Amino acid sequence: MKNGKNLTIRDIAEAAGVSAATVSLVLNGKGDISGVTRAKVLEAVASLNYVPRTNKSSAEPGETLRFLKIAKHGHTVNRDHSVFISDYIDGMSAEATRRNYTLEVVSFEGQPISSVAESLAGAPISGVVALGTELTEADIRLIQGLGYPTVFIDTFFDVVDANFVNMNNEDAVFKVLSRFHQQGFRRIGFVASHVETTNFKLRRDAFFKNMGRLGLTVDEADILSVESTYDGAYSDTRQLLADGLDLAECYFCTNDIIAYGFIRALREHGPKIPEDVSIIGFDNLPQSATMDPGLTTIEVSKRKIGYLAVTILDDLIHSTESQPAVKILVGADLVLRGSHEKLVQRSRNRAPKIELPAE
């Protein structure tokens, strides 16, 4: 069987059951082609690992790398995280420049993953870094199957044969829970999110695993689930409080944005931070340092992740033989500020309800 580099448009056309002209139009993003037909062509491209031929004048190896900033639903990749993503870009840009690449950034907001795939077909680029925050395993496989050297950042899949650079969520969450544990907290809550992203799931899994590792008991009533946007987290927390939420001593919030909304709702309801409830976030966004009190949070070097993505990509581009998938997890630091301090001895164990005798 031909390898991806030796395949022709006719091979793709035969696999997709369409004409060679149709394949050419799809690969070049032209023509009035139906979504169903485009999908057939792209599936054939992915399944056959087709590597598009490019004009030598426009796609010399090592010339251009493309960063795909993908926001499928925008619940996590949005304006609130613009600084976070810009740090990724800074790390990629610096290393790309050092290695004589040009880095271009292409954004996709609210578009199907097929649109992302179409944009890559025939593109005069040498490699791809894709923001995987909101991508599913199927999305990863589709982009990976297009044949370009590709690295995914801000996500991680154990069993997918692709290259990933992500933060070490399990290690980071262990540092959060260890800090609470060292301060004497035993009733530790977790503010999760029902928005589906891989990192959110990894942090949730890490919470349960590390609570067990530390010999701490998890009370399901202390596991909250809120929207991942600031307004959504605030609104959902207000509703939980209105419904009579019995607060834990402290909470680990899935990310800083959720922590901001959670804290605002708590303050409006009455509890003080950290006198009544201690809180730790994740991401170390700039606002976390300027809050009163400052938010204790997890710092992961986004620039390091961007740098590593380009380093791996450069190796793939210049390799003369097939390379095994590379999966890298970058460690984290706990940035200590005032929101997590245990200022007074507190006991928030639930007291039994006492029924008053009828008069």
Side-chain angles (χ1 to χ4, degrees), residues 38 62 113 116 118 135 140 145 181 211 240 249 275 342 359:
R38 285 183 182 275
I113 203 66
V116 180
E118 286 178 28
L135 300 185
I140 297 288
H181 185 248
M211 286 287 281
L240 289 169
E249 296 179 284
E275 290 87 347
K342 188 170 186 177
E359 293 184 358

Side-chain angles (χ1 to χ4, degrees), residues 31-83:
D32 185 18
I33 309 297
S34 72
V36 172
T37 300
R38 285 183 182 275
K40 285 182 180 179
V41 172
L42 292 172
E43 285 175 7
V45 167
S47 64
L48 295 174
N49 291 322
Y50 173 66
V51 179
R53 292 182 179 178
T54 55
N55 295 325
K56 187 176 180 181
S57 61
S58 62
E60 286 290 333
E63 183 180 274
T64 301
L65 306 180
R66 180 176 293 181
F67 173 55
L68 303 176
K69 179 187 172 187
I70 305 170
K72 284 182 65 182
H73 49 69
H75 289 288
T76 49
V77 180
N78 51 45
R79 186 184 305 170
D80 290 334
H81 277 90
S82 59
V83 174

Side-chain angles (χ1 to χ4, degrees), residues 119-169:
S119 76
L120 290 174
I125 56 177
S126 299
V128 174
V129 179
L131 183 67
T133 314
E134 297 184 357
L135 300 185
T136 65
E137 182 176 328
D139 298 334
I140 297 288
R141 292 185 186 280
L142 177 59
I143 295 174
Q144 175 72 10
L146 292 174
Y148 289 101
T150 303
V151 178
F152 298 90
I153 63 172
D154 204 39
T155 193
F156 188 88
F157 289 90
D158 280 320
V159 296
V160 176
D161 190 24
N163 304 291
F164 298 99
V165 185
N166 195 26
M167 68 270 308
N168 189 332
N169 285 286

Side-chain angles (χ1 to χ4, degrees), residues 313-336:
L313 205 52
D314 185 49
D315 287 343
L316 292 171
I317 291 168
H318 290 99
S319 176
T320 57
E321 55 188 43
S322 178
Q323 296 294 309
V326 175
K327 303 183 182 186
I328 297 177
L329 297 180
V330 176
D333 294 316
L334 186 62
V335 180
L336 302 178

Side-chain angles (χ1 to χ4, degrees), residues 188-207:
I188 302 174
F190 177 43
V191 186
S193 177
H194 38 263
V195 173
E196 292 186 8
T197 75
T198 300
N199 279 332
F200 283 4
K201 180 182 183 300
L202 290 173
R203 287 170 205 170
R204 184 185 181 95
D205 292 345
F207 177 84

